[in-house]
Amino acid sequence: MTYSDQLRRLCVDIARQAGDFAYQSRLELGPGARAAHSTKSSAVDPVTEFDRATEALIVERLRFERPDDSILGEEGSSYQGESDLTWHIDPIDGTVNFVYDFPLWSTSVGVVRNGVPVAGAIHVPVVGDMYSAAIDSGAYVNDQPISVSTADDAATSLVSTGFSYHVGDERQSQADRVARVLPSVRDIRRSGSAAVDLAAVASGRVDAYFEPHINSWDIAAGVVLVREAGGVVTSFNGTDLDVNAPIGLVAAGPALHRSIVKLASD
Ligand code: LIP
């Protein structure tokens, strides 16, 4: 087993344990019950006790299994290690979906070396999918190999996107962008979880995904997944993506990627 595949297996093990913990917590609230939450960057950016507890579980595992590595978590966890690896973790990606008991939320665990993701896992507990990948080891869902779609025509492509929590002008410009893109593609999906969107690109369940504002913990695992599935991932304007400081993102199969960059960034 290669070193990157050992990392992939650890990503899977931790994402499974953490995602199952969050899922059990969600089930105990009851169907459709709103999870109590506070807010972060805006009144529509929630965080729950379950986000924090799930992140604490992931961090405890990583501190034990990988004590020399750095960690960066969405809910504030930050450890500076001595190794060249940094773990970017989103305990519940799609927190609004979790709060509403809408199924498309995920636990994302990715590990990055010098701004390049080397392994990752995305657990979608409600759906029962575990996606994983590692550099030069391929991409999988539930241990079955996956690949991006071969779509090459934007007009018949299924495209996902997301919107930031910044309310006001930023939100309006994102709405204007979707209004411009929609007439030029088959249809648009908005899952509410960047990790789910990237997993969908990697498995050919959508043809492309773009989002103008995104965080490292949302995408670290999904980026290696798409690339190992034969896809292309760049920053929003088509330049190289630095996962540590992403400037938006476009992910698609190689025959479609440039068209989506042009559509999204025009
Ligand atoms: C979410 C992202 C999603 C974005 C949402 C939100 P969170 O992350 O995964 O792509 O459109 O607005 O930022 O905050 O639920 O972990």
Side-chain angles (χ1 to χ4, degrees), residues 60-75:
E60 182 183 5
R61 283 291 308 274
L62 288 174
R63 295 292 294 140
F64 176 77
E65 305 270 2
R66 302 288 307 185
D68 296 332
D69 295 353
S70 301
I71 301 172
L72 180 63
E74 174 170 16
E75 306 316 336

Side-chain angles (χ1 to χ4, degrees), residues 74 90 92-95 162-163 165 190 192-194 209 211 214 218:
E74 174 170 16
D90 194 336
I92 298 177
D93 186 44
T95 297
F163 311 119
Y165 289 123
R190 197 291 197 242
S193 164
Y209 162 60
E211 186 154 353
I214 206 70
D218 295 318

Side-chain angles (χ1 to χ4, degrees), residues 197-218:
D197 289 324
L198 287 165
V201 171
S203 53
R205 289 168 165 160
V206 297
D207 297 309
Y209 162 60
F210 68 85
E211 186 154 353
H213 302 284
I214 206 70
N215 297 298
S216 66
W217 46 75
D218 295 318

Side-chain angles (χ1 to χ4, degrees), residues 2-264:
T2 65
Y3 179 56
S4 60
D5 203 51
Q6 288 172 20
L7 290 173
R8 180 181 72 84
R9 292 201 177 196
L10 181 58
C11 290
V12 168
D13 188 42
I14 293 175
R16 188 180 307 283
Q17 180 188 4
D20 287 348
F21 169 79
Y23 186 30
Q24 188 55 42
S25 306
R26 180 58 259 186
L27 288 173
E28 287 167 7
L29 291 174
R34 287 288 153 80
H37 57 276
S38 53
T39 56
K40 296 188 294 188
S41 64
S42 74
V44 294
D45 180 8
V47 58
T48 72
E49 62 176 287
F50 309 109
D51 292 89
R52 296 191 178 103
T54 305
E55 181 160 306
L57 186 160
I58 296 171
V59 169
E60 182 183 5
R61 283 291 308 274
L62 288 174
R63 295 292 294 140
F64 176 77
E65 305 270 2
R66 302 288 307 185
D68 296 332
D69 295 353
S70 301
I71 301 172
L72 180 63
E74 174 170 16
E75 306 316 336
S77 301
S78 177
Y79 284 89
Q80 183 58 53
E82 300 299 318
S83 82
D84 64 353
L85 295 179
T86 299
W87 294 77
H88 295 254
I89 58 178
D90 194 336
I92 298 177
D93 186 44
T95 297
V96 172
N97 290 348
F98 182 91
V99 166
Y100 278 71
D101 193 26
F102 189 77
L104 294 180
W105 55 270
S106 60
T107 296
S108 183
V109 178
V111 56
V112 175
R113 177 181 291 119
N114 303 327
V116 178
V118 294
I122 297 169
H123 185 192
V124 193
V126 180
V127 174
D129 281 342
M130 175 65 77
Y131 295 86
S132 67
I135 275 187
D136 301 331
S137 297
Y140 304 87
V141 64
N142 304 332
D143 297 324
Q144 291 182 281
I146 53 177
S147 58
V148 296
S149 86
T150 57
D152 60 2
D153 175 16
T156 56
S157 65
L158 185 61
V159 180
S160 65
T161 191
F163 311 119
S164 70
Y165 289 123
H166 308 305
V167 294
D169 293 348
E170 176 55 40
R171 199 92 161 154
Q172 185 57 55
S173 72
Q174 292 181 15
D176 295 343
R177 178 178 294 113
V178 168
R180 284 199 313 273
V181 170
L182 182 57
S184 302
V185 298
R186 173 194 297 272
D187 204 349
I188 282 183
R189 295 289 183 268
R190 197 291 197 242
S191 78
S193 164
V196 167
D197 289 324
L198 287 165
V201 171
S203 53
R205 289 168 165 160
V206 297
D207 297 309
Y209 162 60
F210 68 85
E211 186 154 353
H213 302 284
I214 206 70
N215 297 298
S216 66
W217 46 75
D218 295 318
I219 66 171
V223 167
V224 61
L225 197 70
V226 171
R227 287 173 174 166
E228 285 300 312
V232 177
V233 188
T234 64
S235 60
F236 198 65
N237 65 5
T239 57
D240 288 350
L241 175 72
D242 176 355
V243 168
N244 290 328
I247 305 174
L249 172 147
V250 176
L256 188 62
H257 183 267
R258 289 303 307 164
S259 305
I260 301 301
V261 168
K262 185 165 178 14
L263 268 179

